[in-house]
Each structure stands twice: as C-alpha cells, then as structure tokens.
Amino acid sequence: MASAARNGAAAAALMVAVSILALASGGSAQLQYGFYKGKCNGTDVEAVVQSIVRARFARENPIVAYLLRMQFHECAVNGCDGGLLIDGPGTEKTAPPNLSVKGYDVIAAIKAELERRCPGVVSCSDIQILATRDAVTLAGGAAYAVRTGRRDRRRSLASDVKLPSPEFTAAQTVAYFGGLGLSAFDTALLLGAHTVGATRCNAIKSSRLYRYGGRPGATDPGMDPSYAIVYKNQVCPNVPSSDNNVVFLDDQWSALKVDNHYYKNLQKKRGVLSVDQNLYKDGSTSWIVDQLAKDNGLFTSLFPKALVKLSEVNVLTGTQGEIRKVCSRFN
C-alpha cells in the first residue's frame, strides 16, 4: 500500500509538472514586456495603473473580485479586446451575464489619467489586464509580469456573449475553457478566482437549496449538510426577499484573500456554485483540486500564469483595431 501511495504521489507530481510546462506556453508573439516604455512622455504607464488601483483597493478591497471577473467576462468573448467596456444598447455590457459586472469606473479613471499624460497611446484592453494584475497582488497574490501591446476592437455585441453556466459539469467547464485554448489545469486555476468572489442567493436557491434536480424541497446532496442548513436558515431563506443577499464563494474570513482556501472547501463539499463543486466530483479534475488544496504556494505561483494565458486570448496587436480615447465608446 505504501508503494501504491508513492506511485500515486509520483503520478500526481508528474501531471503537475506537465501542467506547469503547458502554462508557460502560448500567447501572442506581438505582445511584449514593457511595451509602453518610452512611449508616454516620460510616464511609467504601469506605475500609474498601479497607483490608481492601490488607492481604490485601500478604500474598496472587493475591487480585486470585480476586476478578476471583468477580465474573464472580457477575454472569454472575442478575446481581450475591450469590448465589454462599450456603453450602449445591444453591447456586451448589456448581456444578462454582464449586468452585474463591476469595476468599470476604475478602468475609466486610469484611462483618463493616461490620456492626460499621453493621448491615444495606451489601450483600454491593456489597462484591464494591468489593473487586474495589480489588484491580485494587493490581495495577497504573487506579483507577476504581463505583456502589453493589445489594441481595442471595434465590436461589442450582446449576442456574442456566451459564458459558462454556474451549473456546468466539470467536463462542460473544461470544454468551454478548452475552446479558449486553455487546459483542464488552467480551468481549475481560473475558477480559483472564486477565492475572492461572491454571488447572490438567487444563484443557488433553486439549483442547490430548495429545488435540486427540479424536485420541490430537495437540497443538493453534494453540499455539506451543515453548510446547507446555515444557508437555508440564515443567508438564503426560501423567501423572495433573500434573492439578492450576498453569498461569498469562499469562507468570509478568506473571501478577500487570494489563497487556496477555495480548494479546501471543495474537498469538504463546501463549494457554493455547482460549477465549483463539480470540479471535485469529477476524477479528471479532482486531483488538481487536491494538489492546489494542499499547497498554497503552488496555487499562488500558478494562478498568475493562468491569468496571463487568459489575458493573451485572441488579442489585437500592431495596426489592428484602435486605441480608444474613452474606453466606453469607439473612436
């Protein structure tokens, strides 16, 4: 049995090593580190972004959750191109999954300051990626470099928005991310953004607490019964007035820290959304959860790599697209 345990541990270590190599691959060849160096009238563009994000984080630390969610909702639809930022009827911003996205004002504030210093130089899509990076670091995540040089796309349609359902199985979620060129390991890492996330009771009342499987009164047996009782009695009672109550996707004491506690909760059947808990119900991804749950350093070192891969999905560079003057409208 000891030999079998050693063999299992060795196999898991090998799979992690292969996944780490995969995390280092890919990306757009035209993006580069320090793209804006010497292009903004002596201004350090990344320092300006960092300063504004730090000030916002000091007074509203959930900004890290807002920006992480924005990056995913942005990059998963036509790539990281600023399409989500556009105002107006029928734009990405108006699609139902995006109605609760927050953080647009901090992107606008950064853009306004950079336009004051060097008009028409820094793209809105790069600002999104830089701001998210800085927020993650402020929330306890590892510092990491990102390549820049993205340009903004002249397209933003609500009909393009097709995001994964909170009810997805692990296989469906992995397939969705696979369509973006991301692996199962990337998928598990990116869902780890829920370590700082939150949802509303209406996201789980029917699907997990009161009508599981469409059966009136049924609670998802895959949820820790003690947690289900707390949700039903205190957070999300079965009355309409609780629909908009906030539910943290990690334990509240950890909900503003970028750490691996989210994965530890999945091991205890304490994932809030089905899409989260399903990672641990499926053998093809449960081993990844186990590896990340037991090693916070592994998660904090690999999470940025997955974010970088996401940030380089289907980007525009060179003379493609435009550099918007105002992030919420095309030039």
Side-chain angles (χ1 to χ4, degrees):
M1 289 184 65
S3 175
R6 284 195 298 272
N7 290 340
L14 177 61
M15 288 190 286
V16 170
V18 170
S19 299
I20 290 172
L21 288 174
L23 279 163
S25 65
S28 169
Q30 294 190 56
L31 297 178
Q32 58 186 267
Y33 297 110
F35 177 83
Y36 294 109
K37 188 173 182 179
K39 298 179 180 177
C40 190
N41 300 325
T43 292
D44 183 335
V45 167
E46 295 193 22
V48 170
V49 176
Q50 185 180 69
S51 175
I52 293 174
V53 173
R54 183 185 294 113
R56 178 61 174 271
F57 184 85
R59 66 178 189 270
E60 188 182 7
N61 48 15
I63 191 66
V64 62
Y66 304 162
L67 292 175
L68 278 167
R69 186 163 184 248
M70 180 188 289
Q71 178 172 324
F72 172 64
H73 284 230
E74 177 67 79
C75 296
V77 178
N78 296 329
C80 308
D81 60 4
L84 178 58
L85 303 174
I86 295 293
D87 286 339
T91 60
E92 289 180 31
K93 191 179 287 188
T94 68
N98 291 335
L99 295 177
S100 56
V101 172
K102 300 178 182 179
Y104 298 114
D105 57 329
V106 74
I107 303 301
I110 295 167
K111 178 61 171 173
E113 179 60 22
L114 289 172
E115 283 295 297
R116 186 181 70 81
R117 295 175 182 236
C118 51
V121 172
V122 184
S123 70
C124 298
S125 45
D126 270 342
I127 290 171
Q128 288 176 291
I129 302 307
L130 290 167
T132 302
R133 183 268 307 270
D134 294 334
V136 166
T137 303
L138 288 165
Y144 61 100
V146 297
R147 300 193 296 173
T148 44
R150 294 167 191 77
R151 293 181 53 98
D152 303 319
R153 196 182 306 272
R154 290 187 56 83
R155 178 186 178 96
S156 180
L157 296 174
S159 57
D160 287 345
V161 177
K162 296 175 178 61
L163 294 168
S165 163
E167 311 305 320
F168 266 11
T169 65
Q172 289 173 315
T173 307
V174 169
Y176 179 90
F177 281 91
L180 302 177
L182 302 170
S183 69
F185 209 101
D186 297 324
T187 300
L189 285 166
L190 290 170
L191 282 179
H194 288 172
T195 185
V196 292
T199 187
R200 303 283 177 174
C201 285
N202 59 7
I204 62 171
K205 284 172 67 175
S206 178
S207 62
R208 304 207 70 194
L209 297 179
Y210 300 109
R211 290 187 62 86
Y212 176 73
R215 301 190 306 274
T219 300
D220 186 347
M223 178 181 281
D224 177 348
S226 65
Y227 263 47
I229 289 171
V230 171
Y231 289 137
K232 293 167 82 170
N233 291 344
Q234 298 180 27
V235 185
C236 304
N238 195 19
V239 292
S241 60
S242 74
D243 283 357
N244 288 320
N245 290 355
V246 173
V247 182
F248 292 101
L249 299 180
D250 197 351
D251 286 347
Q252 190 166 352
W253 62 266
S254 180
L256 293 173
K257 293 168 57 180
V258 174
D259 61 18
N260 71 334
H261 192 262
Y262 160 85
Y263 300 102
K264 295 179 180 181
N265 271 351
L266 299 188
Q267 291 177 314
K268 299 173 183 175
K269 298 185 176 181
R270 295 177 179 176
V272 175
L273 298 174
S274 295
V275 70
D276 294 324
Q277 192 59 53
N278 287 341
L279 279 180
Y280 203 60
K281 289 171 66 176
D282 190 308
S284 67
T285 49
S286 62
W287 71 271
I288 305 173
V289 173
D290 285 335
Q291 293 299 312
L292 297 172
K294 74 179 183 181
D295 189 343
N296 187 56
L298 182 67
F299 170 66
T300 55
S301 65
L302 296 185
F303 182 52
K305 296 180 187 299
L307 288 174
V308 167
K309 284 186 71 174
L310 176 65
S311 78
E312 298 190 358
V313 169
N314 197 23
V315 297
L316 301 183
T317 58
T319 59
Q320 298 173 312
E322 65 182 13
I323 304 295
R324 291 183 205 142
K325 297 181 176 66
V326 177
C327 289
S328 59
R329 63 175 183 262
F330 301 125
N331 289 345

